[in-house]
Amino acid sequence: MHTAVIRKAHFNAAHRLAHQDWSEERNREVFGLCANPHYHGHNYELDVRVSGEVNAETGMLIDLKDLKTLIYQEVEVYMDHKNLNLEVVEFCHPDADGRFLIPTAENICRVIYDRLRGHLPDNLTLMVRLYETPRNIVEYPA
Ligand code: NI
């Protein structure tokens, strides 16, 4: 029986969207209010969707207690009340070429996916939906 379960989660975080090579004017043109040099916060909401075959013996796809704990450790403890640009490794450490990952909703969603994926059994499919506002939503993978 192919089934999906969804665990909802929440965190608050601050960010600034800016391309490191661009002027403040260009960043403001492209990223709008999210380019504010002094940062700003969002109330992020998260749907973590896990799908696959239900275990016939337990009647469960995944133990939701385990999923809750995993999301708590890998996402909430990691990002809640943090400044993503300054405190979260995926965004505050440059890659080998000196490039910083911009903490857009798209990139945050993929970082969350990557942090969870390795902890889940290979036979389960993961999808993460991130609500940056109630009306701005990103899904990864699409
Ligand atoms: Ni923003």
Side-chain angles (χ1 to χ4, degrees), residues 60-77:
M60 294 193 295
L61 180 76
I62 183 172
D63 190 325
L64 278 163
K65 286 195 308 295
D66 296 341
L67 186 59
K68 173 187 176 180
T69 302
L70 177 64
I71 295 166
Y72 178 73
Q73 288 169 345
E74 293 298 324
V75 182
E76 294 174 277
V77 169

PDB file of all heavy atoms in Angstrom, residues 60-77:
ATOM      1  N   MET A  60       2.715   0.681   9.819  1.00  0.00           N
ATOM      2  CA  MET A  60       3.252   2.047   9.739  1.00  0.00           C
ATOM      3  C   MET A  60       4.216   2.171   8.567  1.00  0.00           C
ATOM      4  O   MET A  60       4.901   1.219   8.194  1.00  0.00           O
ATOM      5  CB  MET A  60       4.012   2.398  11.028  1.00  0.00           C
ATOM      6  CG  MET A  60       3.128   2.467  12.261  1.00  0.00           C
ATOM      7  SD  MET A  60       3.953   3.250  13.671  1.00  0.00           S
ATOM      8  CE  MET A  60       5.269   2.088  14.024  1.00  0.00           C
ATOM      9  N   LEU A  61       4.266   3.387   8.039  1.00  0.00           N
ATOM     10  CA  LEU A  61       5.236   3.715   6.995  1.00  0.00           C
ATOM     11  C   LEU A  61       6.579   4.055   7.647  1.00  0.00           C
ATOM     12  O   LEU A  61       7.644   3.611   7.221  1.00  0.00           O
ATOM     13  CB  LEU A  61       4.712   4.908   6.196  1.00  0.00           C
ATOM     14  CG  LEU A  61       5.573   5.398   5.061  1.00  0.00           C
ATOM     15  CD1 LEU A  61       5.444   4.462   3.883  1.00  0.00           C
ATOM     16  CD2 LEU A  61       5.156   6.803   4.656  1.00  0.00           C
ATOM     17  N   ILE A  62       6.476   4.891   8.654  1.00  0.00           N
ATOM     18  CA  ILE A  62       7.641   5.319   9.437  1.00  0.00           C
ATOM     19  C   ILE A  62       7.083   5.694  10.803  1.00  0.00           C
ATOM     20  O   ILE A  62       5.937   6.160  10.899  1.00  0.00           O
ATOM     21  CB  ILE A  62       8.361   6.517   8.770  1.00  0.00           C
ATOM     22  CG1 ILE A  62       9.618   6.913   9.537  1.00  0.00           C
ATOM     23  CG2 ILE A  62       7.422   7.726   8.606  1.00  0.00           C
ATOM     24  CD1 ILE A  62      10.463   7.970   8.821  1.00  0.00           C
ATOM     25  N   ASP A  63       7.844   5.479  11.833  1.00  0.00           N
ATOM     26  CA  ASP A  63       7.398   5.862  13.179  1.00  0.00           C
ATOM     27  C   ASP A  63       7.417   7.392  13.272  1.00  0.00           C
ATOM     28  O   ASP A  63       8.485   8.008  13.166  1.00  0.00           O
ATOM     29  CB  ASP A  63       8.329   5.235  14.215  1.00  0.00           C
ATOM     30  CG  ASP A  63       7.778   5.402  15.628  1.00  0.00           C
ATOM     31  OD1 ASP A  63       7.143   6.453  15.905  1.00  0.00           O
ATOM     32  OD2 ASP A  63       7.986   4.485  16.447  1.00  0.00           O
ATOM     33  N   LEU A  64       6.248   7.985  13.446  1.00  0.00           N
ATOM     34  CA  LEU A  64       6.182   9.451  13.456  1.00  0.00           C
ATOM     35  C   LEU A  64       6.943  10.067  14.627  1.00  0.00           C
ATOM     36  O   LEU A  64       7.375  11.211  14.551  1.00  0.00           O
ATOM     37  CB  LEU A  64       4.723   9.918  13.431  1.00  0.00           C
ATOM     38  CG  LEU A  64       4.126   9.928  12.012  1.00  0.00           C
ATOM     39  CD1 LEU A  64       2.604   9.997  12.041  1.00  0.00           C
ATOM     40  CD2 LEU A  64       4.669  11.102  11.212  1.00  0.00           C
ATOM     41  N   LYS A  65       7.118   9.312  15.692  1.00  0.00           N
ATOM     42  CA  LYS A  65       7.960   9.807  16.798  1.00  0.00           C
ATOM     43  C   LYS A  65       9.397   9.993  16.316  1.00  0.00           C
ATOM     44  O   LYS A  65      10.052  10.964  16.650  1.00  0.00           O
ATOM     45  CB  LYS A  65       7.974   8.809  17.972  1.00  0.00           C
ATOM     46  CG  LYS A  65       6.701   8.780  18.800  1.00  0.00           C
ATOM     47  CD  LYS A  65       6.925   8.048  20.129  1.00  0.00           C
ATOM     48  CE  LYS A  65       7.553   6.657  20.004  1.00  0.00           C
ATOM     49  NZ  LYS A  65       6.684   5.678  19.307  1.00  0.00           N
ATOM     50  N   ASP A  66       9.870   9.004  15.535  1.00  0.00           N
ATOM     51  CA  ASP A  66      11.237   9.096  15.014  1.00  0.00           C
ATOM     52  C   ASP A  66      11.375  10.258  14.036  1.00  0.00           C
ATOM     53  O   ASP A  66      12.378  10.976  14.037  1.00  0.00           O
ATOM     54  CB  ASP A  66      11.637   7.786  14.309  1.00  0.00           C
ATOM     55  CG  ASP A  66      11.686   6.601  15.258  1.00  0.00           C
ATOM     56  OD1 ASP A  66      11.767   6.833  16.487  1.00  0.00           O
ATOM     57  OD2 ASP A  66      11.631   5.459  14.777  1.00  0.00           O
ATOM     58  N   LEU A  67      10.351  10.420  13.188  1.00  0.00           N
ATOM     59  CA  LEU A  67      10.391  11.518  12.222  1.00  0.00           C
ATOM     60  C   LEU A  67      10.374  12.865  12.938  1.00  0.00           C
ATOM     61  O   LEU A  67      11.121  13.783  12.592  1.00  0.00           O
ATOM     62  CB  LEU A  67       9.207  11.396  11.250  1.00  0.00           C
ATOM     63  CG  LEU A  67       9.191  12.389  10.081  1.00  0.00           C
ATOM     64  CD1 LEU A  67      10.448  12.269   9.224  1.00  0.00           C
ATOM     65  CD2 LEU A  67       7.944  12.178   9.229  1.00  0.00           C
ATOM     66  N   LYS A  68       9.541  12.956  13.973  1.00  0.00           N
ATOM     67  CA  LYS A  68       9.472  14.185  14.776  1.00  0.00           C
ATOM     68  C   LYS A  68      10.836  14.520  15.385  1.00  0.00           C
ATOM     69  O   LYS A  68      11.298  15.656  15.328  1.00  0.00           O
ATOM     70  CB  LYS A  68       8.434  13.985  15.887  1.00  0.00           C
ATOM     71  CG  LYS A  68       8.370  15.098  16.905  1.00  0.00           C
ATOM     72  CD  LYS A  68       7.443  14.729  18.058  1.00  0.00           C
ATOM     73  CE  LYS A  68       7.466  15.808  19.123  1.00  0.00           C
ATOM     74  NZ  LYS A  68       6.573  15.476  20.245  1.00  0.00           N
ATOM     75  N   THR A  69      11.486  13.506  15.963  1.00  0.00           N
ATOM     76  CA  THR A  69      12.792  13.711  16.591  1.00  0.00           C
ATOM     77  C   THR A  69      13.838  14.113  15.558  1.00  0.00           C
ATOM     78  O   THR A  69      14.663  15.000  15.799  1.00  0.00           O
ATOM     79  CB  THR A  69      13.232  12.419  17.313  1.00  0.00           C
ATOM     80  OG1 THR A  69      12.236  12.085  18.279  1.00  0.00           O
ATOM     81  CG2 THR A  69      14.570  12.600  17.998  1.00  0.00           C
ATOM     82  N   LEU A  70      13.791  13.448  14.381  1.00  0.00           N
ATOM     83  CA  LEU A  70      14.750  13.764  13.329  1.00  0.00           C
ATOM     84  C   LEU A  70      14.609  15.218  12.871  1.00  0.00           C
ATOM     85  O   LEU A  70      15.606  15.949  12.765  1.00  0.00           O
ATOM     86  CB  LEU A  70      14.532  12.815  12.142  1.00  0.00           C
ATOM     87  CG  LEU A  70      15.416  13.052  10.930  1.00  0.00           C
ATOM     88  CD1 LEU A  70      16.878  12.804  11.265  1.00  0.00           C
ATOM     89  CD2 LEU A  70      14.975  12.164   9.770  1.00  0.00           C
ATOM     90  N   ILE A  71      13.369  15.653  12.648  1.00  0.00           N
ATOM     91  CA  ILE A  71      13.144  17.034  12.203  1.00  0.00           C
ATOM     92  C   ILE A  71      13.549  18.015  13.296  1.00  0.00           C
ATOM     93  O   ILE A  71      14.148  19.055  13.024  1.00  0.00           O
ATOM     94  CB  ILE A  71      11.663  17.239  11.809  1.00  0.00           C
ATOM     95  CG1 ILE A  71      11.310  16.372  10.597  1.00  0.00           C
ATOM     96  CG2 ILE A  71      11.379  18.702  11.504  1.00  0.00           C
ATOM     97  CD1 ILE A  71       9.819  16.243  10.360  1.00  0.00           C
ATOM     98  N   TYR A  72      13.247  17.643  14.525  1.00  0.00           N
ATOM     99  CA  TYR A  72      13.625  18.510  15.647  1.00  0.00           C
ATOM    100  C   TYR A  72      15.142  18.720  15.677  1.00  0.00           C
ATOM    101  O   TYR A  72      15.631  19.847  15.767  1.00  0.00           O
ATOM    102  CB  TYR A  72      13.128  17.916  16.970  1.00  0.00           C
ATOM    103  CG  TYR A  72      13.522  18.727  18.172  1.00  0.00           C
ATOM    104  CD1 TYR A  72      12.907  19.951  18.435  1.00  0.00           C
ATOM    105  CD2 TYR A  72      14.536  18.287  19.036  1.00  0.00           C
ATOM    106  CE1 TYR A  72      13.276  20.718  19.514  1.00  0.00           C
ATOM    107  CE2 TYR A  72      14.911  19.055  20.127  1.00  0.00           C
ATOM    108  CZ  TYR A  72      14.281  20.270  20.367  1.00  0.00           C
ATOM    109  OH  TYR A  72      14.670  21.027  21.439  1.00  0.00           O
ATOM    110  N   GLN A  73      15.876  17.618  15.552  1.00  0.00           N
ATOM    111  CA  GLN A  73      17.333  17.712  15.659  1.00  0.00           C
ATOM    112  C   GLN A  73      17.970  18.376  14.435  1.00  0.00           C
ATOM    113  O   GLN A  73      18.858  19.224  14.555  1.00  0.00           O
ATOM    114  CB  GLN A  73      17.934  16.320  15.846  1.00  0.00           C
ATOM    115  CG  GLN A  73      17.651  15.757  17.225  1.00  0.00           C
ATOM    116  CD  GLN A  73      17.996  14.287  17.369  1.00  0.00           C
ATOM    117  OE1 GLN A  73      18.203  13.592  16.373  1.00  0.00           O
ATOM    118  NE2 GLN A  73      18.049  13.809  18.585  1.00  0.00           N
ATOM    119  N   GLU A  74      17.534  17.973  13.252  1.00  0.00           N
ATOM    120  CA  GLU A  74      18.221  18.392  12.031  1.00  0.00           C
ATOM    121  C   GLU A  74      17.755  19.744  11.486  1.00  0.00           C
ATOM    122  O   GLU A  74      18.474  20.377  10.722  1.00  0.00           O
ATOM    123  CB  GLU A  74      18.050  17.323  10.945  1.00  0.00           C
ATOM    124  CG  GLU A  74      18.761  16.025  11.250  1.00  0.00           C
ATOM    125  CD  GLU A  74      20.273  16.190  11.354  1.00  0.00           C
ATOM    126  OE1 GLU A  74      20.844  16.995  10.599  1.00  0.00           O
ATOM    127  OE2 GLU A  74      20.873  15.516  12.210  1.00  0.00           O
ATOM    128  N   VAL A  75      16.544  20.148  11.877  1.00  0.00           N
ATOM    129  CA  VAL A  75      16.015  21.401  11.336  1.00  0.00           C
ATOM    130  C   VAL A  75      15.752  22.415  12.442  1.00  0.00           C
ATOM    131  O   VAL A  75      16.278  23.525  12.417  1.00  0.00           O
ATOM    132  CB  VAL A  75      14.719  21.166  10.526  1.00  0.00           C
ATOM    133  CG1 VAL A  75      14.217  22.488   9.942  1.00  0.00           C
ATOM    134  CG2 VAL A  75      14.950  20.132   9.424  1.00  0.00           C
ATOM    135  N   GLU A  76      14.952  22.029  13.440  1.00  0.00           N
ATOM    136  CA  GLU A  76      14.525  23.019  14.423  1.00  0.00           C
ATOM    137  C   GLU A  76      15.693  23.456  15.312  1.00  0.00           C
ATOM    138  O   GLU A  76      15.968  24.650  15.438  1.00  0.00           O
ATOM    139  CB  GLU A  76      13.358  22.477  15.241  1.00  0.00           C
ATOM    140  CG  GLU A  76      12.117  22.298  14.358  1.00  0.00           C
ATOM    141  CD  GLU A  76      10.969  21.613  15.086  1.00  0.00           C
ATOM    142  OE1 GLU A  76      10.948  20.383  15.163  1.00  0.00           O
ATOM    143  OE2 GLU A  76      10.094  22.328  15.568  1.00  0.00           O
ATOM    144  N   VAL A  77      16.396  22.514  15.902  1.00  0.00           N
ATOM    145  CA  VAL A  77      17.544  22.891  16.733  1.00  0.00           C
ATOM    146  C   VAL A  77      18.582  23.619  15.880  1.00  0.00           C
ATOM    147  O   VAL A  77      19.205  24.585  16.322  1.00  0.00           O
ATOM    148  CB  VAL A  77      18.180  21.640  17.395  1.00  0.00           C
ATOM    149  CG1 VAL A  77      19.522  21.981  18.042  1.00  0.00           C
ATOM    150  CG2 VAL A  77      17.235  21.038  18.416  1.00  0.00           C
TER     151      VAL A  77
END
